[in-house]
Structure formats: C-alpha cells, structure tokens
Amino acid sequence: MPRLRLALNQIDSTVGDIDGNAESVLRWTRHSAEQGAHLVAFPEMTLTGYPVEDLALRSSFVEASRTALRSLAARLADEGLGAVPVVVGHLDRSATAQPRYGQPAGAPQNAAAVLHGGEVALSFAKHHLPNYGVFDEFRYFVPGDTLPVVRVRGVDVALAICEDLWQDGGRVPAARSARAGLLLSVNASPYERDKDDTRLELVGKRAQEAGCTTAYLAMTGGQDELVFDGDSIVVDRGGTVLARAPQFTEGCMVLDLDLPAADAEAPTGVVDDGLRIDRVVLSEAGQEAADAVPVGESWRSGGHAEPLDDDEEVYSALVTGLRAYVAKNGFRSVLIGLSGGIDSALVASIACDALGAQHVYGVSMPSKYSSGHSRDDAAELARRTGLHYRTVSIEPMFDAYTGALELTGLAEENLQSRLRGTLLMALSNQEGHLVLAPGNKSELAVGYSTLYGDSVGGYGPIKDVYKTSVFRLAEWRNRAARDRGRTPPIPENSITKPPSAELRPGQVDTDSLPDYPVLDAILALYVDGDRGADEIVAAGYDRELVTRTLRMVDTAEYKRRQYPPGTKISSKGFGKDRRLPVTNRWRESG
C-alpha cells in the first residue's frame, strides 16, 4: 500500500495582495518540502484571498490571478520545488460558454490548480456554488463540471473545493465512482459559533460516502467581517479522525497516509452528476526511502488539537477578526472611548489581546452625569491592561451647545454621545488611530444607540455579540487570566453593576429595554431564526413584550445600515447575512 505524506498549509491570505499571497505559498511550500511532503495543499482562493466579491467581475483582476498562477508554477520549479505537486486556490475564468447560467466564455470561476514541474498540470472550478448567508457565488462564478483526479506516488487523489463537501451529490459520490484513494478538499469556510462540531460531523460523513480517506483543509485569519478558524481535519474512510489542526492558528499539518494504490481499471468518462473525470498522472508508486524524512516543526502526524471551549472559541474569533482588520488595513493603533461599562471594557480587552496594550489608546470622556465609580472603573481597566489612557471632559462642549440651543430630553442625552463621537474622530484624525465602536448585537438590534455618537468608529468588534454573551465573555477572560496567574483585565465592578448609558441621573438600560436575558432570547428567535411574532409568543414570551421588541428591531434598520463593520460570529449577523429594506411597512407585530 503506497504511503503519501500530505502537507496541509492552514494559512491566512489577504484579498487583492496577489504578490504577497504568492510569496506565502512559496515560503510554505518550501517548508512542506523540507518535511518530505509528497503533496502540498493550500486553501480555497489562496492566491487572491477570499472572498474577492466584485473584484471577480474585473477582467484585470482575473487576469492578474491567472498570470500569477503561471508565474508561481515557474518560480516553484526555479527554486527546486517543481517535483512536489502543489494544490492552490485561485481565480480563473471558464474556457467555454455557460448557456445554462446565461454566461459567455470567460466568466469568472472559483478555481484551484495543481502546480507541478513548472506548469499548471491541472485546473478545476468549484462545482457546488453557495448562495446563502454571506455567500453570493452565483453572482460571480460559474461552476465546474469535472472531477479532477491527480495521481501522486501511485495514489489517485480526487480534488474538491469547499461547498463541494457541504452540499450533497457532486464530487463526493463521484470520488467513490472514480475509486479515489484520497479526497482532498480546499476550503475558506468562514467561522460561526459551534461550526467546528458541524464541520467534524460533515467531514466524517463525506468520507464514508466517498469511500476513502478525506482531508479538509481550511483557511485561517480574517477578512473584513469574516473570520476563518482553520480547524483542518483528516479522517479515514470510516470517519475516524486521523489528525486535526488547531483553531485560529497558521501552520502546516504534515501526516503520513497509507492509501490504496490506484486502480488500473478505474473508470473514465462521465460519472455522478454529469461530472467528467479529468485524470492526470504525475508520479507512480515512490521509493520507500523517501518516507524516511522526519517531520520537523510542523504539526505532527496523528496530532489531534483539542477544540476550544465555546467561550474561548468566540473570544479567539473576536481577537482574530480585529487583529486581521487592523493589520490588513494598515493601522498601527486603535482608540476606544472608555465609559467604565462592560462593553467598552470587553472591547479594550480584545484589542489588547489582539494588538498589544502598547497599540491601544483609551479616553474617558465624562459628563456631569458620569458616576464616580464609572470614571474609576475606566481608570482601573487602563491600569490592569497597561493601555494608554487619558481623560477629556465633555462638560465645556456640552454647556456651550445647550446654552446655544436650549436642548432638553432625548436631544440633550444624544448630544453627549455625539460630542464623544466627535472627540474620538478628532483624535483619530490627529493621531492616526482606528476608532473602535463598542456597540453589541442587542443594542444594534433594538436601536439602543446614538447615530454619530456611540455608533462612531471604523470597526465594531462585538457588533455580533449579544449583551448576555458580553458578560459571559468578560467573565471568561477574567477567569482565564486568573488560571494563568495573571491580573484579570476587566474590573469586577464593570461586570456586576447594572448597565447604563449614564446620559441622565439614575439612568439604567432597563428603563428602556427588557432584562437582557429575555431580550436576547427574543432577538435570537427573531433576528437569527427569522421566527414570526406568533411563533415567538408560542415559545413562551409575553405578546406585548414581543410586539414592542420586534417594533424596535424593525424601526432601527436605518441605524444598522450606518454602523461600521465588525466580526461575525453567528449564523446571522447584521450585514450580508441579514438584508432587509429600510423603507418597509411590514410588521410582524401587526
């Protein structure tokens, strides 16, 4: 039985940085070859980054990807790496017209290629195109119609791209029909809470359907609102896990697989779902001496990284998302308005973990309504984390405005928030920081925020985190610090005191909102689950409360449209996942 040493490179790519991504492929291929790899793989659309969105519609970008792919193949050979097959995702275009999809020849394709001997030995396009949630792949791409099979060291390896595994049919049963010894899928599947469990179950199921060992290679890092958690998995034909990579970590997982030799009588032509087998032979059974190369610094064969617990996983996603956004958009530091409350405290903690406290700047902006304990809590957070800290009172500005305009009530309250937003943006312009908006998903859902005030910022790290989860994550972060013998970053008082915007005397959030556990439960049904009012009431919630909550959600759409991007951790975040008209008279609540 042939032995194949597989190198799965779980790496991050940057959208549009084709040259930089190619350098990364070159560097990690060199590392994989040093580990004695026989087959090297990289995630979906590694060369262009993912998702490219409307860049796919630009011919110049498509051609840049195609040119870079050929150049990369030549460079690999020039550097002595041409003998190792390399699977790399890229952006391509169809060679023929696609009348079924109304597309001419040259339509963009989400593709991958096998580079070998200085050439593109094999290229293929994603067969199943996702068109739900954050995915719009029918907008951009036409599907592939082949089952690519590459023979490496006498093993037939069937190839797939992401959704080819997530949907039934297509390349999975086709791999069985082609009698493949290994099914390798390259992916850029975005993170969602609890997706690791779903992914593990899926890969095991698909391996059994394909009748062969299955390797699922995933991307890590972040792109705008999306986070990629890695968690690459290899299972045998029965679904037993052979290796699993860590989450939210770049690296190379190398493992030796004893796989069945290629079947000389394996079918050719068209198999399941009309897929035509495209088989390329690169090498027959190799010499056993080549297997003696020891595995070096990569994640070792047979390694099983333990999945993170739920709170650590979500917190890690938030850290990864913020770090990627800041780094990939050229910022060196972030600025946060520190109120002493739980939201800004959690955002500050995430920022310090993502960037280092030396790159985090906090400013307290008290008004006459700001309590002494809130000022103290903000200062204590700064002391515990080591972030840069200053205090700038908004009272003189507030008095000037109210003296000129005689504002009262809600206008007076919102003015305080807007003065803080203006101050933060002024400091951002002056000093070059990225302002972080501290709003959470509960507030965004019901519109409990001030436009051009606390919604100001270039990124919202917790915009997809419900308030109840904000508390839970803060408690987890403090507990994790204590477990490591370190100072918990978030003051206990910020966690235990009643949440308040402190825009009028004695104000607390529950003056305007239901208790957060009840509110978040209703919001999860309505926002994430798309349940109607009657269904939510049937789930045990008071009709009057449901009616009021849903009305707040419906009328706040215009505010959410103006909120900055932020890390997505749920199955339906505010953004591409959930698209509702601003002008909309339909009301679930009647």
Side-chain angles (χ1 to χ4, degrees), residues 10 51 61 79 90 113 220 281 288 382 404 412 432 572:
Q10 179 176 291
F61 188 68
E79 299 208 13
H90 64 104
T220 190
V281 177
E288 292 304 312
E412 181 188 32
K572 184 164 286 192

Side-chain angles (χ1 to χ4, degrees), residues 8 10-11 196 199 216-221 228-233 243-254 298-300 303-308 313 316:
L8 301 176
Q10 179 176 291
I11 65 169
D196 57 329
R199 182 188 295 128
Y216 182 101
L217 168 60
M219 184 181 287
T220 190
F228 304 93
D229 65 322
D231 191 32
S232 300
I233 304 167
R244 191 170 189 177
Q247 291 178 277
F248 306 106
T249 305
E250 268 200 318
C252 176
M253 183 164 69
V254 178
S298 302
W299 299 320
R300 292 180 179 274
H304 291 254
E306 288 298 322
L308 305 176
E313 179 184 280
S316 298

Side-chain angles (χ1 to χ4, degrees), residues 55-86:
L55 286 173
L57 304 179
R58 296 188 191 176
S59 295
S60 58
F61 188 68
V62 179
E63 283 309 308
S65 171
R66 288 161 56 87
T67 300
L69 183 74
R70 295 189 295 269
S71 175
L72 178 59
R75 287 190 63 194
L76 287 167
D78 290 344
E79 299 208 13
L81 302 170
V84 182
V86 178

Side-chain angles (χ1 to χ4, degrees), residues 369 394 398 401-402 407-422 447-456 501-504 507 558-559:
Y369 299 124
I394 65 168
F398 179 75
Y401 269 89
T402 53
L407 301 176
T408 60
L410 185 61
E412 181 188 32
E413 292 181 27
N414 285 342
L415 173 62
Q416 297 168 67
S417 182
R418 291 193 175 109
L419 287 171
R420 290 176 175 129
T422 299
Y448 193 62
S449 62
T450 302
L451 274 182
Y452 324 119
D454 54 334
S455 64
V456 155
E502 293 193 331
L503 299 176
R504 64 175 183 265
Q507 182 185 32
Y558 75 101
K559 287 188 178 183

Side-chain angles (χ1 to χ4, degrees), residues 134-371:
V134 299
F135 304 107
D136 283 316
E137 296 209 8
F138 274 118
R139 172 181 171 87
Y140 304 114
F141 306 126
V142 293
D145 57 4
T146 66
L147 173 69
V149 179
V150 58
R151 185 168 300 173
V152 182
R153 290 173 57 85
V155 176
D156 276 351
V157 181
L159 302 171
I161 302 175
C162 200
E163 195 72 9
D164 294 340
L165 258 66
W166 287 91
Q167 291 189 32
D168 292 335
R171 285 181 171 142
V172 173
R176 175 185 284 273
S177 297
R179 302 177 193 173
L182 173 68
L183 173 59
L184 169 62
S185 178
V186 297
N187 311 271
S189 182
Y191 169 80
E192 292 174 9
R193 188 175 46 238
D194 301 325
K195 193 172 185 178
D196 57 329
D197 297 329
T198 304
R199 182 188 295 128
L200 178 61
E201 180 180 355
L202 172 81
V203 176
K205 176 183 177 184
R206 295 309 191 211
Q208 294 176 59
E209 292 171 354
C212 63
T213 297
T214 298
Y216 182 101
L217 168 60
M219 184 181 287
T220 190
Q223 167 63 27
D224 291 347
E225 296 193 315
L226 302 182
V227 175
F228 304 93
D229 65 322
D231 191 32
S232 300
I233 304 167
V234 182
V235 303
D236 67 16
R237 61 183 298 168
T240 300
V241 176
L242 301 176
R244 191 170 189 177
Q247 291 178 277
F248 306 106
T249 305
E250 268 200 318
C252 176
M253 183 164 69
V254 178
L255 67 161
D256 291 327
L257 299 171
D258 292 318
L259 301 169
D263 188 338
E265 298 181 0
T268 59
V270 175
V271 288
D272 304 72
D273 284 5
L275 294 175
R276 173 178 50 81
I277 295 177
D278 188 2
R279 196 187 306 271
V280 174
V281 177
L282 299 181
S283 59
E284 296 293 354
Q287 300 298 315
E288 292 304 312
D291 292 332
V293 179
V295 175
E297 297 303 316
S298 302
W299 299 320
R300 292 180 179 274
S301 174
H304 291 254
E306 288 298 322
L308 305 176
D309 71 40
D310 291 344
D311 291 333
E312 183 177 8
E313 179 184 280
V314 170
Y315 190 89
S316 298
L318 298 174
V319 168
T320 300
L322 177 59
R323 180 188 295 129
Y325 191 84
V326 170
K328 292 182 178 182
N329 286 286
F331 291 97
R332 296 185 301 275
S333 55
V334 296
L335 177 65
I336 308 167
L338 296 179
S339 67
I342 186 65
D343 293 325
S344 63
L346 180 61
V347 168
S349 176
I350 291 167
C352 288
D353 290 337
L355 310 173
Q358 70 272 24
H359 299 295
V360 181
Y361 291 75
V363 55
S364 172
M365 297 168 286
S367 74
K368 62 183 179 181
Y369 299 124
S370 299
S371 63

